Amino acid sequence: MRLILAAASALALLFGAQLAFAQEDSDPGTDAFNNGDYAGAATAWESKATQGDPEAMTNLALLYLKGLGVKRDLGKAAELYERASQLGFVVAQFNLANLYYDGQGVSRDKKQAARWYTAAAQGGHAKAQFYLAQMYFDGDGVDESDETGLSWLQKASDLNLPDAQHELGRRLIFGDDVTADPAKGTDLVLKAAEQKYAKAQILIADCYWKGRGIAKNQIEAYVWAAQAKENAKGRDVKRATDLYDDVKSGMNGDQIKAAEIELMAVNPKKKKKNGADGDEDGGGNGDTDTGTTD
């Protein structure tokens, strides 16, 4: 689990540190940012940050983190996140925790990472809750506690975070540090799969294929395995492809035809890919935060 957290945290730093877009009807910094005028956004947010606005501090920190409109300066980004975090701004707390976890702009400090993930998690930040759960499972920067880890994992799952729904569902299916409840587990995994979370699509396909926690259904297994194959990234590509091939090899022509019809109904891109317009790039399952306010 430690490697999962480290990879996810690094990915958030590279591509998905959260931007806290203004709640106002019109914000010069946000308008400039959306128009690609990053220097203008920096000027507008610098003015508000100087006046003690934690939202502006957080947005300005992202510009320094990425080097957008300003010279890239991880130390300055960390300083701004720290100021906003001290003012209780949840998005800043989450981003600051990421910096401490990976040692970007600050000395690597897992205890400080846990401190700020905890603050953000208590503020209702689902991804922070999920990361904090992983830290408790591993004893990474905190005293190991499966009970506390499961508590945070449940909270993140309740907020509909697919990462958490998949992980909690997996634990329930296999009885990993919890009392096994395959039916409840597959229900959670299905919810994550419906959000196009590839790991969950792989697991629910396998459950349908083997009848684990859910009625065995080769057609549903095929449909989910096909979607997983399309959405998977990195090491999950081989897992999804192998599962798809295994499921398909045990089906007859009529079953495959029925599965393809259902797949076209749930995935219009599949229909276009097989039609006159030729191949189309199919979806993705990145872990990128797009800048929504938490």
Side-chain angles (χ1 to χ4, degrees), residues 12 15-23 30 33-34 45 55 58-59 62 66 81 89 91 94-95 125 287-294:
F15 301 109
Q18 292 182 325
L19 183 68
F21 285 126
Q23 297 296 309
T30 301
F33 185 91
N34 288 336
W45 285 332
E55 188 172 11
T58 301
N59 292 340
L62 181 67
K66 309 294 186 182
Y81 281 142
F89 201 66
V91 175
F94 173 69
N95 289 339
H125 194 292
D287 190 34
T288 303
D289 289 316
T290 58
T292 53
T293 302
D294 288 68

Side-chain angles (χ1 to χ4, degrees), residues 19 38 41-47 49-50 54-66 68 70 76-77 80-81 83:
L19 183 68
Y38 302 124
T43 299
W45 285 332
E46 178 72 52
S47 176
T50 301
E55 188 172 11
M57 294 174 194
T58 301
N59 292 340
L60 184 59
L62 181 67
L63 298 184
Y64 278 105
L65 188 66
K66 309 294 186 182
L68 298 173
V70 294
K76 180 68 173 179
L80 286 162
Y81 281 142
R83 287 170 57 196

Side-chain angles (χ1 to χ4, degrees), residues 117-248:
Y117 280 137
T118 299
Q122 290 173 338
H125 194 292
K127 188 73 90 170
Q129 293 170 348
F130 177 68
Y131 285 0
L132 188 60
Q134 304 299 321
M135 295 184 79
Y136 273 104
F137 289 137
D138 294 335
D140 190 17
V142 294
D143 292 334
E144 185 174 343
S145 172
D146 289 339
E147 182 180 358
T148 304
L150 286 168
S151 176
W152 284 118
L153 189 61
Q154 181 68 64
K155 290 179 186 297
S157 177
D158 289 344
L159 289 175
N160 209 34
L161 184 72
D163 318 50
Q165 291 172 329
H166 164 261
E167 177 60 18
L168 182 57
R170 183 194 67 78
R171 287 173 176 269
L172 287 166
I173 290 169
F174 296 104
D176 184 1
D177 294 324
V178 296
T179 301
D181 189 339
K184 183 177 179 181
T186 52
D187 182 60
L188 283 171
V189 173
L190 185 57
K191 289 179 180 179
E194 288 170 347
Q195 295 186 64
K196 299 186 178 181
Y197 189 65
K199 292 180 187 298
Q201 291 176 329
I202 292 170
L203 180 52
I204 200 64
D206 187 70
C207 288
Y208 271 119
W209 185 38
K210 297 174 180 175
R212 180 187 289 121
I214 201 166
K216 189 173 183 178
N217 188 319
Q218 295 291 94
I219 292 175
E220 288 298 319
Y222 179 100
V223 169
W224 283 114
Q227 291 180 80
K229 189 161 79 85
E230 187 170 327
N231 292 329
K233 302 293 182 184
R235 289 178 294 180
D236 287 332
V237 173
K238 186 177 188 306
R239 293 178 57 221
T241 301
D242 288 348
L243 178 59
Y244 172 82
D245 291 342
D246 287 342
V247 171
K248 186 176 181 179

Side-chain angles (χ1 to χ4, degrees), residues 85-128:
S85 294
Q86 294 290 355
L87 292 172
F89 201 66
V90 170
V91 175
Q93 291 169 342
F94 173 69
N95 289 339
L96 180 61
N98 286 337
L99 294 182
Y100 272 115
Y101 193 93
D102 289 323
Q104 298 288 325
V106 292
S107 297
R108 193 177 193 192
D109 189 330
K110 299 291 186 67
K111 290 184 178 180
Q112 282 296 314
R115 171 194 173 190
W116 289 113
Y117 280 137
T118 299
Q122 290 173 338
H125 194 292
K127 188 73 90 170

